[in-house]
Structure formats: C-alpha cells, structure tokens
Amino acid sequence: MAEQIDVRIEHIIFDSPGYTVAKCRADDYSVCIVTGDLPSAKNIRLRLSGNWINNAKYGEQFKVTSYELLHQTDEAGMVSYLCSLRCGVGMTWAKRIYKAFGKDTWRVLKEEPNKLELIHGLGSKRITALKNKLAETNMLMSVMSLLDGVAEVGTVRAKKLISRFGDDTINIIKSKPYELYDVPGMSFETVDLIEIGRASCR
C-alpha cells in the first residue's frame, strides 16, 4: 500500500525527463531523498505518494508513484513553480507575477488566469503558453487525484492517458474505463481496478 508524505524540495540532485532525484524536508523537519517523475523545482511543496525503499548504494529513499502540488503561498515556492513549467516564464517574469498577486497568486493561476493580462508587458504569447501549461498541470493533478486509492497509475502513465484522450480523460476514466486499455502500459489488472473503483462509487 502506498504511503503519503508532505515535503518541500530543498535541492535537486539529479534531473532528466521523467526522473528526478531530490533532497526534501518533510513537515516534521526530517530530511529525505525522493526519486521519481516529479517537478524539478526547489522550494515547492508537494504531497507524495509512494513507498520507502532501501537502495544498496544510496540508502533509504522515497520512491514516488504520484504527487500532488500543495498550495504555494511564499514567493520562493511560487516563483520556482512558475519557472519549472518551462513555458517562457523565467525568474524575472515569475517574480513580476508574484508581485502583482502576492499570496493570492496560486488561486489566481488556478481560478482566474485571465488576470495575467493585467500584467503589463507579459504579452499574449507568453500568457497563452502559461495558461496552456497550467491547464495541463491541473489536468494531471485531477487525473492522479481521481485515481488515488483506486489503482497505482502514477505520473508517467497519467501523462500517457492525457496524451491519448486529452480533455476527455476524466470522462473516459469515469464512464468508459476499459478504453484505457488501449494506452501502452495500462494492464488489464490496472484497468479492472479502475472499473471496480468506479462501480463502487455509483
């Protein structure tokens, strides 16, 4: 059974597409090493699902199967998160966005992204790219939240589902889960668990 821990990323040890190793600090102030497909951005807060493993070379690590972005209120976390999206918003613009909305930035990005147009000079191209990336991230979080506790799909396969079904992903999971079997990496056993979970919620 997967465990959950809330952490803040303190240092990125290794980063490549689909795999990151990070030093994190948990809410109880203990330090831990986490590995998996997660945002490679310092200072952001995450709720991680996964299991503790003992690596023969590197010792105890938390192997992440999925994650949830927690509410970011401080400037360091918010700026780091915006930069990690890699959509044309670098450090300078990320700081300007935070300056415009302050501790309300997280809510504005999730609920009122059109307010980005109020920031002089941000530009329509950059705003569109940021909105699209935010929408992708929100979809990923929604898919993983929907499947949490039902089947261990994880970040990698969740991204494959979204790539295959796009905006219809949530509807497919809820109403036609056996269509998920067409996605590479989705085993019959996993899809069956999703169907059983769906049926139990009827």
Side-chain angles (χ1 to χ4, degrees):
M1 180 179 293
E3 298 179 57
Q4 283 191 337
I5 57 172
D6 291 353
V7 302
R8 179 185 292 273
I9 295 180
E10 290 194 337
H11 176 64
I12 303 299
I13 299 171
F14 175 80
D15 180 43
S16 67
Y19 186 75
T20 297
V21 179
K23 174 187 173 184
C24 299
R25 190 169 296 276
D27 280 359
D28 64 359
Y29 300 105
S30 63
V31 175
C32 57
I33 302 298
V34 302
T35 66
D37 187 6
L38 62 150
S40 56
K42 293 193 299 182
N43 298 310
I44 63 171
R45 297 183 63 243
L46 302 168
R47 174 162 294 151
L48 307 176
S49 293
N51 295 102
W52 291 100
I53 63 169
N54 198 348
N55 185 287
K57 184 175 181 180
Y58 299 108
E60 189 177 51
Q61 302 176 347
F62 191 81
K63 186 177 180 180
V64 178
T65 54
S66 64
Y67 67 86
E68 174 188 351
L69 282 160
L70 296 178
H71 194 95
Q72 320 287 321
T73 56
D74 63 298
E75 182 176 6
M78 198 67 249
V79 168
S80 187
Y81 169 63
L82 286 169
C83 291
S84 75
L85 295 176
R86 294 171 182 161
C87 58
V89 175
M91 185 72 70
T92 299
W93 279 113
K95 286 183 176 180
R96 289 187 185 182
I97 291 171
Y98 187 83
K99 184 177 180 181
F101 305 115
K103 292 187 176 182
D104 203 32
T105 302
W106 182 259
R107 187 198 62 79
V108 169
L109 293 178
K110 290 179 72 69
E111 300 176 11
E112 300 180 277
N114 286 337
K115 281 190 174 181
L116 291 167
E117 296 170 9
L118 300 175
I119 301 176
H120 179 71
L122 187 56
S124 60
K125 185 177 180 180
R126 190 178 284 110
I127 290 173
T128 298
L130 178 52
K131 284 182 178 179
N132 290 341
K133 196 66 179 182
L134 289 169
E136 290 176 17
T137 302
N138 288 339
M139 174 63 79
L140 179 61
M141 295 300 103
S142 296
V143 169
M144 291 197 295
S145 176
L146 182 62
L147 296 176
D148 185 40
V150 176
E152 291 189 9
V153 171
T155 310
V156 175
R157 284 191 287 179
K159 287 179 178 178
K160 289 182 180 179
L161 294 179
I162 295 168
S163 177
R164 169 67 175 81
F165 299 109
D167 292 340
D168 204 32
T169 304
I170 298 294
N171 180 54
I172 293 292
I173 292 172
K174 287 183 175 180
S175 61
K176 297 177 283 186
Y178 280 109
E179 289 191 20
L180 304 176
Y181 191 59
D182 292 334
V183 178
M186 293 295 290
S187 67
F188 179 82
E189 289 79 7
T190 299
V191 175
D192 203 40
L193 285 172
I194 294 172
E195 166 61 20
I196 292 170
R198 182 181 74 94
S200 68
C201 294
R202 287 174 181 162

